[in-house]
């Protein structure tokens, strides 16, 4: 059995679109809030958490809703199309509001944009396991994350090259280019990916694989309750997800301000550190997916946690920018790839197949809940204690994730059969 790489790349276009926006959002919105509207770090952290508050309710709802929707375009595709259309229109009002200094317009545009983005994130992410057999999901998720990283790189390159070192920047060209990238990616997805037949094929392959290997999944029966030991593992991995997002998101949300104020990096130069981390992650996604197929998802995640924790602890000792810091961020990218590629497949591995969107919602509920709290809490510490608290704060929560992850016993990858009547997962595109 082998993964259809070309198809998985095309499925990943939806995540590329989403990631391009969120990288732009995390990097530019804090600067607009601070430099244009002169909002404090604590309140800014609260505003940056709005998307996560919305996501806490929207992602499980739209994930479950997409499980129940049946259209000619499929379950997930209608949400991806409509959500992207609404988001690209609303997001262009953000730089316009910044240019004219209208806080009211900015807040309205921000809320509409975040609602639009929240309406299709779970369906977009659920598309990968919908069309990918269980044994191949770590490798497929590696490609999906790689596509997301490409979207992030696009935004970071635009920020690095188009944000001036002095004077008030005009962010409209950056937002416009990212909007065009989002539209192009989703239209290509619509053209090339026919969701319904691909999902039906995947369902047949999973059934045939269970028969060929003589296994019956614990969660296979649609109406059967989840066994207590599986539920325990699900809860523990979801708590772990919250902890590592508490640490990682604190750094990514505040880094543009941290780099300018604490390290003295001017203009959009802060994006170079994030760009290094993203490129390192891109180079790591495929290898960590392959490693997980050999040693298991859990061990790969634990290794990533140890590396990420070490880099955040080292970052806490840095008082000003040095070139070698780029190496630190490169290892942060590798660590985050190891964690991110394997955690989502572990969660959906515990689902029944017919409720992948629901379990995707669980995953994002816990990750977003963490991202509600962490910008506010870390922002409070930045404002009232000092900017030196950022990296120790991140290291503390990543350490906590290591200990909760140790006790997860389910959702790990199973060896892919070397010989099976299901020799390949390939169809005509």
């Amino acid at each position: 059995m082998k993964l259809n790489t070309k198809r998985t790349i095309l499925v990943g276009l939806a995540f590329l679109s989403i990631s391009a926006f969120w990288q732009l959002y995390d990097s530019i919105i804090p600067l607009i809030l601070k430099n244009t509207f002169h909002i404090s770090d604590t309140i800014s952290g609260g505003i940056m958490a709005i998307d996560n508050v919305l996501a806490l309710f929207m992602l499980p709802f739209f994930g479950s809703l997409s499980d129940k929707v049946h259209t000619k375009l499929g379950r997930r595709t209608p949400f991806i199309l409509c959500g992207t259309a609404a988001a690209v229109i609303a997001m262009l009002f953000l730089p316009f509001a910044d240019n004219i200094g209208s806080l009211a317009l900015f807040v309205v545009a921000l809320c509409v944009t975040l609602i639009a983005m929240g309406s299709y994130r779970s369906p977009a992410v659920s598309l990968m396991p919908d069309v990918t057999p269980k044994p191949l999901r770590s490798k497929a998720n590696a490609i999906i994350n790689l596509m997301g990283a490409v979207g992030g790189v696009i935004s970071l390159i635009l920020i690095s090259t188009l944000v001036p070192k002095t004077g008030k920047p005009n962010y409209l060209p950056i937002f416009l280019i990212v909007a065009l990238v989002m539209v192009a990616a989703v239209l290509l997805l619509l053209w090339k990916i026919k969701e319904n037949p691909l999902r039906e094929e995947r369902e047949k392959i999973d059934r045939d694989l269970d028969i060929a290997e003589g296994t019956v999944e614990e969660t296979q029966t649609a109406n059967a309750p989840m066994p207590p030991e599986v539920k325990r593992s699900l809860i523990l991995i979801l708590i772990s997800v919250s902890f590592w997002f508490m640490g990682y998101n604190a750094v990514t949300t505040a880094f543009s301000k941290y780099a300018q104020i604490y390290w003295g990096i001017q203009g959009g130069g802060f994006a170079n550190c994030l760009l290094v981390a993203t490129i390192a992650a891109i180079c790591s996604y495929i290898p960590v997916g392959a490693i997980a197929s050999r040693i298991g998802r859990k061990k790969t995640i634990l290794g990533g946690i140890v590396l990420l924790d070490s880099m955040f602890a080292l970052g806490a000792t840095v008082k000003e920018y040095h070139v070698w810091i780029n190496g630190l961020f490169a290892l942060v990218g590798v660590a985050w790839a190891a964690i991110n590629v394997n955690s989502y497949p572990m969660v959906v591995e515990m689902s029944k197949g017919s409720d992948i969107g629901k379990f995707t919602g669980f995953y994002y509920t816990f990750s977003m809940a963490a991202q509600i709290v962490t910008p506010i809490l870390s922002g409070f510490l930045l404002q009232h204690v000092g900017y030196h608290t950022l990296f120790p704060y991140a290291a503390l929560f990543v350490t906590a994730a290591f200990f909760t992850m140790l006790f997860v016993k389910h959702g790990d990858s199973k060896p892919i059969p070397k010989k099976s009547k299901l020799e390949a997962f390939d169809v005509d595109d």
Side-chain angles (χ1 to χ4, degrees):
M1 181 185 294
K2 65 179 180 179
L3 183 68
N4 187 320
T5 303
K6 177 183 176 182
R7 177 200 296 160
T8 308
I9 289 172
L10 292 169
V11 169
L13 287 170
F15 199 54
L16 182 151
S17 169
I18 291 170
S19 298
F21 170 81
W22 286 116
Q23 184 64 70
L24 180 65
Y25 174 85
D26 285 340
S27 297
I28 299 300
I29 299 303
L31 297 179
I32 293 175
L33 292 173
K34 187 174 187 68
N35 298 330
T36 300
F37 301 116
H38 309 291
I39 293 174
S40 69
D41 288 327
T42 303
I43 297 176
S44 176
I47 293 173
M48 292 301 293
I50 289 175
D51 65 303
N52 303 310
V53 174
L54 292 172
L56 191 61
F57 304 99
M58 293 183 67
L59 298 191
F61 173 76
F62 282 100
S64 296
L65 181 62
S66 67
D67 283 335
K68 300 175 177 67
V69 168
H70 298 278
T71 72
K72 292 182 179 180
L73 292 177
R75 295 175 180 175
R76 322 298 182 184
T77 304
F79 292 91
I80 296 171
L81 290 177
C82 295
T84 301
V88 296
I89 293 171
M91 67 185 281
L92 295 178
F93 285 93
L94 294 172
F96 177 73
D98 173 53
N99 289 340
I100 65 174
S102 174
L103 181 59
L105 177 60
F106 182 83
V107 170
V108 171
L110 187 65
C111 289
V112 174
T113 303
L114 295 179
I115 290 171
M117 293 297 299
S119 69
Y120 78 97
R121 183 163 184 164
S122 284
V125 175
S126 299
L127 187 58
M128 181 278 289
D130 263 354
V131 302
T132 307
K134 289 182 179 181
L136 299 174
R137 285 176 181 167
S138 279
K139 288 184 177 180
N141 202 42
I143 295 175
I144 298 299
N145 279 273
L146 189 152
M147 295 297 290
V150 170
V153 166
I154 291 171
S155 291
L156 289 171
I157 290 174
L158 291 171
I159 293 168
S160 180
T161 56
L162 297 181
V163 175
K165 295 185 182 297
T166 58
K168 179 173 172 52
N170 177 12
Y171 297 118
L172 183 58
I174 301 175
F175 275 78
L176 181 59
I177 295 171
V178 170
L180 293 174
V181 169
M182 293 170 67
V183 170
V186 170
L187 289 179
L188 184 57
L189 172 71
L190 177 64
W191 178 33
K192 290 292 187 178
I193 296 298
K194 308 305 177 186
E195 181 185 331
N196 284 332
L198 294 180
R199 186 185 67 254
E200 291 168 3
E201 180 193 9
R202 187 273 305 167
E203 291 172 349
K204 182 180 184 301
I205 287 175
D206 278 346
R207 286 194 301 268
D208 290 346
L209 184 59
D210 287 339
I211 293 171
E213 299 302 316
T215 60
V216 178
E217 293 295 329
E218 292 175 318
T219 55
Q220 189 174 2
T221 304
N223 296 320
M226 178 177 283
E229 62 275 14
V230 180
K231 184 180 292 185
R232 189 179 305 113
S233 287
L234 177 63
I235 292 171
L236 284 170
I237 192 172
L238 291 174
I239 292 172
S240 302
V241 168
S242 291
F243 280 153
W244 62 58
F245 269 99
M246 285 284 289
Y248 185 80
N249 186 253
V251 174
T252 58
T253 300
F255 186 71
S256 57
K257 295 183 294 183
Y258 182 90
Q260 290 183 351
I261 294 171
Y262 195 69
W263 284 351
I265 298 176
Q266 295 181 330
F270 68 89
N272 292 330
C273 292
L274 300 177
L275 185 60
V276 168
T278 305
I279 292 173
I282 288 174
C283 296
S284 303
Y285 283 134
I286 303 300
V288 299
I291 289 170
S293 297
R294 290 181 174 273
I295 69 171
R297 293 166 182 158
K298 178 181 173 179
K299 290 180 180 179
T300 307
I301 290 173
L302 289 173
I305 291 174
V306 170
L307 180 58
L308 184 64
D309 200 11
S310 301
M311 292 305 100
F312 283 162
L314 181 59
T317 67
V318 178
K319 306 301 181 184
E320 60 183 11
Y321 177 77
H322 301 280
V323 175
W324 65 264
I325 292 175
N326 290 322
L328 183 153
F329 274 88
L331 292 177
V332 166
V334 173
W336 190 243
I339 295 169
N340 224 23
V341 161
N342 295 292
S343 54
Y344 172 64
M346 286 191 75
V347 173
V348 297
E349 192 81 13
M350 301 180 213
S351 73
K352 300 168 187 173
S354 60
D355 56 3
I356 286 173
K358 178 181 177 181
F359 275 68
T360 300
F362 288 161
Y363 176 86
Y364 279 109
T365 295
F366 277 78
S367 66
M368 292 301 175
Q371 293 174 79
I372 291 169
V373 176
T374 204
I376 300 172
L377 181 56
S378 62
F380 178 86
L381 292 174
L382 292 177
Q383 181 177 349
H384 296 286
V385 180
Y387 275 71
H388 65 278
T389 61
L390 181 62
F391 281 103
Y393 171 97
L396 175 65
F397 281 101
V398 175
T399 300
F402 179 85
F403 290 103
T404 53
M405 192 66 202
L406 277 176
F407 296 97
V408 174
K409 305 298 183 183
H410 297 81
D412 214 332
S413 52
K414 298 178 180 179
I416 299 174
K418 293 181 179 180
K419 292 183 179 180
S420 171
K421 65 179 181 179
L422 306 171
E423 291 295 335
F425 179 49
D426 285 311
V427 297
D428 295 332
D429 294 304

